[in-house]
C-alpha cells in the first residue's frame, strides 16, 4: 500500500473506515487482529464492554501497539478462520467488534450480528 493511500484511509471517519473494511476483507478474504504474548486475542475495554479489534492490513495495526499492548503482535486470519472459530469466541464471550481503531482510539464498534450481516451482504455482491 502506498503512503498516500494509507494516509487517505486513516483520515476517514470511523463509519467510512468500516465500509472500506467490509469491502476490502470481502475482496481479499483476510482480516487482521492482534494477539498477546500467549497467543490470546487482545481485548480492549470501553465502558465495561469488551472489544476485539480488526483491521484490513498489518500496517494499520502499528499505531495501536502501545499503552499496554506493546507485547502484542499482528495476526492474519482468513475468512474461514473468522467463520469457523472466531465468530464462536466473539459470541460466547459477548465481545463487540472494534473495526479499524487507529492511534489508540476506537474505530466503528458493531455487534457480531451486524458485522456478519454486512460482511455476508458484501460477499454476496462479489459472489
Amino acid at each position: 500500500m502506498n503512503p498516500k493511500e494509507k494516509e487517505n484511509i486513516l483520515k476517514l471517519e470511523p463509519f467510512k473506515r468500516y465500509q472500506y473494511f467490509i469491502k476490502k476483507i470481502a475482496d481479499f478474504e483476510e482480516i487482521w487482529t492482534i494477539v498477546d504474548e500467549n497467543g490470546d486475542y487482545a481485548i480492549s475495554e470501553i465502558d465495561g464492554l469488551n472489544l476485539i479489534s480488526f483491521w484490513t492490513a498489518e500496517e494499520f495495526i502499528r499505531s495501536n501497539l502501545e499503552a499496554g499492548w506493546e507485547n502484542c503482535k499482528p495476526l492474519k486470519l482468513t475468512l474461514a478462520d473468522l467463520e469457523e472459530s472466531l465468530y464462536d469466541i466473539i459470541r460466547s464471550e459477548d465481545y463487540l467488534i472494534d473495526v479499524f481503531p487507529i492511534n489508540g482510539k476506537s474505530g466503528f464498534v458493531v455487534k457480531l450480528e451486524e458485522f456478519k450481516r454486512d460482511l455476508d451482504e458484501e460477499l454476496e455482491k462479489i459472489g
Side-chain angles (χ1 to χ4, degrees), residues 47-71:
D47 297 330
L49 301 170
N50 292 318
L51 291 79
I52 186 168
S53 299
F54 293 145
W55 294 266
T56 56
E58 183 176 11
E59 55 260 39
F60 293 114
I61 295 175
R62 297 284 167 217
S63 72
N64 290 278
L65 295 182
E66 33 188 75
W69 290 12
E70 299 89 353
N71 296 324

